[in-house]
Amino acid sequence: AQTVTQSQPEMSVQEAETVTLSCTYDTSESDYYLFWYKQPPSRQMILVIRQEAYKQQNATENRFSVNFQKAAKSFSLKISDSQLGDAAMYFCAYRSVTGANNLFFGTGTRLTVIP
Amino acid sequence: DTGVSQNPRHKITKRGQNVTFRCDPISEHNRLYWYRQTLGQGPEFLTYFQNEAQLEKSRLLSDRFSAERPKGSFSTLEIQRTEQGDSAMYLCASSFGTGTYNSPLHFGNGTRLTVT
């Protein structure tokens, strides 16, 4: 079974600074999708960014970018120019291309943004 | 696009009672998922529908749990004879998919269940 590990339960960053959230995963598959979801206090999960494993280029969405290291099974999220609205729980998630369509989530990292 | 809607937002029930939650997915989405999230944990997969067919069920979904999506649109999740361990946030998500393609999942706000 796939497992997703987020080793940082909590992180903090100064407003306007950059922070990196870590995620590692375990799989025997060669093709899959990886995601970062944000869950603000309102509790609705929002997709931040996604990466297809077959793509070597790291995904970027505005201030959010990933560092995808397939061999190391690592998928970190970098948030640049952090804003107060970035404060939330961040979940890393894995989805297989074939078979199960469900997401496997990590335990999350709580990000605090300091004004 | 009104997003994924879940009702109720909160439910408090006594142990042993039955509860039912509803999820209305995004209208053009044919796939619907139920997850459970306990405090300090990531969401855990419960079950998945494609249209009206329930294609996958997690081992977490005990016999007391049943989910339906009768017309391939909204879905209900029922928990019979609730236990205190059922207290959690129940999240619904939807997506559009064909074969191995699946759009990203869109989540609802969840239903928070408290069993006393």
Side-chain angles (χ1 to χ4, degrees):
Chain A
Q2 289 79 11
T3 58
V4 179
T5 302
Q6 294 180 250
S7 58
Q8 305 155 316
E10 296 183 352
M11 290 284 285
S12 62
V13 62
Q14 205 78 31
E15 194 176 4
E17 296 296 311
T18 296
V19 65
T20 299
L21 308 184
S22 301
C23 173
T24 59
Y25 56 94
D26 186 26
T27 183
S28 58
E29 298 176 328
S30 60
D31 200 10
Y32 45 86
Y33 294 96
L34 295 166
F35 304 83
W36 279 98
Y37 276 87
K38 170 185 176 182
Q39 190 175 40
S42 68
R43 306 294 293 189
Q44 185 173 30
M45 301 274 280
I46 303 167
L47 177 66
V48 174
I49 198 165
R50 75 180 228 170
Q51 173 84 40
E52 291 90 345
Y54 66 86
K55 290 186 177 179
Q56 293 186 339
Q57 187 172 9
N58 289 324
T60 298
E61 287 287 342
N62 300 315
R63 298 182 294 108
F64 299 87
S65 62
V66 299
N67 183 4
F68 173 47
Q69 301 290 328
K70 191 173 183 179
K73 297 180 182 175
S74 170
F75 183 61
S76 61
L77 174 70
K78 185 171 82 170
I79 306 174
S80 304
D81 185 25
S82 297
Q83 300 176 0
L84 294 178
D86 295 333
M89 284 290 289
Y90 285 81
F91 291 98
C92 178
Y94 171 104
R95 184 172 72 81
S96 174
V97 171
T98 60
N101 282 285
N102 54 293
L103 292 172
F104 292 91
F105 286 88
T107 52
T109 297
R110 180 176 300 282
L111 178 67
T112 300
V113 180
I114 303 166
Chain B
D1 179 1
T2 56
V4 178
S5 176
Q6 290 188 248
N7 288 288
R9 288 295 303 273
H10 304 275
K11 179 70 177 178
I12 300 174
T13 190
K14 292 185 177 180
R15 188 176 54 187
Q17 297 296 305
N18 299 343
V19 294
T20 300
F21 311 139
R22 177 178 170 126
C23 172
D24 287 90
I26 292 172
S27 58
E28 60 266 28
H29 285 181
N30 60 339
R31 292 179 174 174
L32 186 146
Y33 307 77
W34 284 99
Y35 286 82
R36 182 175 69 186
Q37 186 178 23
T38 53
L39 203 60
Q41 299 296 316
E44 296 173 294
F45 171 74
L46 293 178
T47 190
Y48 150 66
F49 290 85
Q50 178 160 304
N51 300 313
E52 68 277 5
Q54 188 174 19
L55 298 185
E56 290 178 39
K57 291 172 62 174
S58 162
R59 283 173 291 180
L60 293 174
L61 213 67
S62 75
D63 291 344
R64 297 184 297 105
F65 288 69
S66 63
E68 294 182 343
R69 195 184 183 198
K71 297 182 179 180
S73 56
F74 73 91
S75 175
T76 57
L77 177 67
E78 180 183 16
I79 309 175
Q80 296 182 329
R81 305 181 303 282
T82 52
E83 302 173 355
Q84 286 187 324
D86 297 332
S87 296
M89 177 74 81
Y90 290 84
L91 296 172
C92 178
S94 70
S95 69
F96 176 77
T98 57
T100 58
Y101 168 76
N102 204 17
S103 70
L105 272 61
H106 293 256
F107 284 84
N109 284 315
T111 293
R112 178 172 293 286
L113 173 67
T114 302
V115 182
T116 61

